[in-house]
Amino acid sequence: MMDELRELYQEVILDHGKNPRNLRHPDDANREARGENPMCGDKFTVYLKVNDQKVVEDVAFEGRGCAISTASASMMTEVVKGKTAEEATALFHTFHDLCTKDDHEHCDHGPVDEEAMEKLMVLSGVRQFPVRVKCATLAWHAMNAALTGEAKASSE
Ligand code: ZN
């Protein structure tokens, strides 16, 4: 059963890696941040459209990366869309714990979308591979940087 589960998880990662969701540059994005992982060669730009109510109306990314980083970026866009900035930040920190810490070490980062975290569980296997941790968290770091950074000037 464990092997079957593992295979299923890999399928999800392979699927997102091959057919990434939201791989585009939205015209109306008002925030963006770049992320780079030189150890693997992953490079992404994450775009956000954050409205006046601080809700992430749209999230997308462009760039190139390995299967893990691409799958993680793709899944990130799916779970962050529609979240408030606060919820997205809590998801980022909780996901970061998932990729870097044992279960009992996880911190409380505020209320998180349990369903989203269940989806993201497939990536928790990277914990055993420090290089892969950077792949899996790259787009998330960029998303968080875009979220906390200044809104991009519309003239750009
Ligand atoms: Zn990578």
Side-chain angles (χ1 to χ4, degrees):
M1 189 61 197
M2 272 316 286
D3 281 345
E4 273 175 38
L5 269 181
R6 207 169 295 149
E7 259 171 48
L8 184 74
Y9 281 3
Q10 283 174 355
E11 256 172 53
V12 173
I13 292 172
L14 284 176
D15 175 41
H16 277 269
K18 275 187 197 155
N19 309 296
R21 305 348 178 227
N22 302 301
L23 184 67
R24 56 192 165 82
H25 183 174
D27 289 336
D28 54 356
N30 52 12
R31 311 215 185 169
E32 65 175 69
R34 256 187 289 265
E36 200 177 335
N37 176 18
M39 285 178 45
C40 180
D42 313 314
K43 270 185 200 178
F44 291 124
T45 303
V46 171
Y47 305 100
L48 301 178
K49 185 192 176 194
V50 183
N51 69 16
D52 293 340
Q53 283 77 47
K54 296 225 184 292
V55 172
V56 181
E57 277 187 4
D58 198 9
V59 45
F61 74 105
E62 281 184 329
R64 276 181 169 202
C66 63
I68 296 278
S69 63
T70 306
S72 184
S74 170
M75 295 178 81
M76 180 277 288
T77 63
E78 283 196 331
V79 298
V80 164
K81 190 170 177 177
K83 297 280 188 297
T84 64
E86 206 177 329
E87 289 165 341
T89 304
L91 262 182
F92 163 68
H93 289 295
T94 308
F95 176 70
H96 200 267
D97 276 3
L98 179 74
C99 291
T100 55
K101 295 177 180 174
D102 287 331
D103 294 335
H104 63 276
E105 293 173 319
H106 288 193
C107 307
D108 182 13
H109 300 289
V112 285
D113 182 344
E114 297 291 341
E115 214 175 296
M117 285 314 298
E118 239 163 73
K119 259 195 206 177
L120 297 170
M121 275 299 290
V122 298
L123 290 159
S124 65
V126 299
R127 225 183 293 169
Q128 302 152 45
F129 310 100
V131 177
R132 291 293 172 210
V133 169
K134 297 211 167 160
C135 299
T137 56
L138 180 65
W140 284 85
H141 278 288
M143 182 280 290
N144 195 51
L147 207 53
T148 52
E150 292 295 305
K152 198 180 74 155
S154 56
S155 61
E156 250 179 71

